Amino acid sequence: MKQKTLCVHAGPGPDPATGAVNPPIYATSTYAYAAFGRHRGWEYSRTANPTRVALEQAVAELEGGADACAFASGMAAIDALTDLLAPGDHIVAAHNLYGGTYRLFTTITTRHSVEVSFVDVSDLKVLEASFRPNTKMLFLESPTNPLMALVDLAEASRLAHKRGVLVVVDNTFLSPVLQKPLELGADVVVHSTTKYLNGHSDAVGGVVVVSDPALGQDLHRIQNSAGAIMGPFDAYLVLRGIRTLAVRMAAHEEGGRAVAQFLAQHPKVLRVFYPGLPTHPQHQLAKRQQRGFGAMVAFDVGSLEKAKAVCDALQIFTLAESLGGVESLISHPATMTHASVPKEERERLGISDGLLRLSVGIEDPEDLLADLDSALAKI
Ligand code: P1T
């Protein structure tokens, strides 16, 4: 099935009881037993809820996976993955990740005696040298938040699998419409559904997709035991968002490309980070492993003062954390999404005080360029 068709039809299809074309929102915490000792397949909504299961099935189909588990947030989904590990295990993580993932790994995961190394995974030699005998998980983002660096997912997976290391890819920035990590060799895909999958900035959630059904069973055990589940109302919203994912991604991409090209030729902009630009150092890799370049664009205006002036002057772009909604957002990673990364570490990575990150929405690109043009004229 083609992407657009899959987005519209992924999941269990019409409700078997009534024929409703959309899954009902099963607003129930529990289910009546058919008889003593005999339930009807549904026991308690932490364990399973039909609306959540419909979403899980849809996302598994979209990513080409065997199973999926939906969680209360993207961070809850990533945290559940760390529950696969035992004390003494080691994670190799990309050195540029969403700031919240960095915070989870450095302040919570390590409390359970799991070691984490942050390495420049775009250099495969560095990646290979970072594996240890106790390495159990490779955690990647591609493209990274906010620097838009890529990892060769097929090669990184090959290197990890030689050592029996589980490969996890956070695919939030592209969505399954623009990248399918499981097809490239990864074992697990994680999403903040808060972003493109939902697409309307009205619900926080997360999902994990796996290629191995046994791993899926293990994650459902974690989901049920630890309990950070997505509720049925949110599951409904994300599933509704998925129906338009393919057409939204095409519109996002059109805007993303236009904005990146505009910024790349603007005299006030020092540097643009967008894998769709031929000048991006990994443009060829992006063309090979992605089905598009997406709509996340970062750019450097040189200083905190200038970054603030641009944010203050914009009319259509809203200053806010998050991304992937229909409306365009701007954020300042150093003081917002990546404030929990120490300043020296941010500077080492290139997350400068003048760096701004755009989530380009689906408005008319001409309006977005005019907004950026007048804001940049202020600096
Ligand atoms: O916010 P939450 O649904 O818990 O998802 C966390 C998360 C995980 N992975 C990536 C790549 C993310 O970007 C995020 C959340 N990011 C933002 C809120 C942001 O503005 O970057």
Side-chain angles (χ1 to χ4, degrees):
M1 229 185 260
K2 303 272 191 217
Q3 289 295 329
K4 282 198 260 185
T5 317
L6 193 54
C7 287
V8 173
H9 293 284
D15 176 45
T18 62
V21 295
N22 292 308
I25 300 172
Y26 282 91
T28 189
S29 56
T30 193
Y31 306 81
Y33 271 51
F36 189 87
R38 188 156 58 84
H39 62 70
R40 302 168 213 249
W42 305 93
E43 289 173 274
Y44 188 62
S45 276
R46 174 162 33 74
T47 315
N49 172 286
T51 320
R52 191 175 85 222
V53 168
L55 170 68
E56 292 172 338
Q57 194 177 321
V59 181
E61 285 173 28
L62 278 174
E63 285 287 3
D67 204 350
C69 293
F71 293 89
S73 68
M75 290 322 305
I78 296 170
D79 186 52
L81 285 170
T82 67
D83 285 345
L84 294 168
L85 304 174
D89 287 348
H90 174 235
I91 303 175
V92 172
H95 68 340
N96 172 208
L97 292 173
Y98 166 56
T101 308
Y102 177 87
R103 181 176 54 203
L104 174 77
F105 286 168
T106 52
T107 64
I108 309 293
T109 309
T110 46
R111 273 191 200 167
H112 303 292
S113 302
V114 171
E115 297 175 277
V116 189
S117 306
F118 295 94
V119 301
D120 180 1
V121 290
S122 54
D123 184 335
L124 292 170
K125 290 212 172 61
V126 172
L127 170 63
E128 193 159 25
S130 68
F131 290 118
R132 300 184 197 160
N134 59 338
T135 306
K136 292 285 160 55
M137 183 181 286
L138 172 63
F139 191 96
L140 304 170
E141 271 177 25
S142 187
T144 60
N145 182 355
L147 290 169
M148 305 303 291
L150 308 189
V151 189
D152 184 331
L153 295 177
E155 263 311 287
S157 300
R158 196 182 61 76
L159 294 176
H161 287 158
K162 277 206 293 193
R163 293 159 182 84
V165 172
L166 191 78
V167 180
V168 179
V169 177
D170 185 330
N171 200 25
T172 298
F173 265 34
L174 288 177
S175 92
V177 168
L178 297 184
Q179 178 168 268
K180 296 206 197 274
L182 299 182
E183 283 179 5
L184 296 165
D187 305 294
V188 180
V189 168
V190 62
H191 281 278
S192 164
T193 62
T194 318
K195 315 299 184 322
Y196 289 105
L197 288 182
N198 180 322
H200 295 75
S201 306
D202 52 8
V204 173
V207 68
V208 172
V209 187
V210 295
S211 50
D212 172 9
L215 183 58
Q217 286 306 310
D218 206 1
L219 279 162
H220 278 297
R221 250 190 307 278
I222 291 168
Q223 184 190 34
N224 184 37
S225 305
I229 50 158
M230 184 184 284
F233 290 87
D234 288 349
Y236 176 81
L237 285 175
V238 179
L239 191 55
R240 184 160 90 150
I242 284 174
R243 299 304 177 219
T244 56
L245 181 65
V247 288
R248 279 190 287 110
M249 291 317 290
H252 278 295
E253 168 116 8
E254 185 197 346
R257 282 182 197 230
V259 163
Q261 280 160 7
F262 168 80
L263 293 172
Q265 53 72 50
H266 199 285
K268 301 272 176 66
V269 174
L270 308 186
R271 194 165 161 204
V272 180
F273 303 80
Y274 183 68
L277 291 174
T279 49
H280 188 283
Q282 294 165 303
H283 180 60
Q284 292 309 323
L285 174 60
K287 285 213 284 197
R288 208 166 60 238
Q289 76 179 10
Q290 301 177 187
R291 298 170 185 206
F293 305 111
M296 297 303 296
V297 183
F299 64 109
D300 196 335
V301 290
S303 71
L304 183 75
E305 292 68 35
K306 288 182 179 167
K308 177 179 179 307
V310 170
C311 292
D312 287 348
L314 285 166
Q315 300 289 317
I316 297 176
F317 284 86
T318 302
L319 179 65
E321 295 201 18
S322 204
L323 57 115
V326 291
E327 68 291 313
S328 289
L329 302 180
I330 186 163
S331 72
H332 181 244
T335 57
M336 296 167 71
T337 52
H338 290 69
S340 56
V341 179
K343 188 168 169 59
E344 319 77 68
E345 182 62 11
R346 281 202 308 269
E347 278 168 3
R348 206 172 59 77
L349 293 172
I351 305 176
S352 62
D353 283 353
L355 188 77
L356 290 165
R357 189 194 74 183
L358 302 175
S359 169
V360 180
I362 65 167
E363 302 94 334
D364 193 307
E366 265 183 47
D367 290 328
L368 299 179
L369 300 193
D371 197 24
L372 287 166
D373 200 30
S374 57
L376 285 166
K378 300 277 190 331
I379 60 172

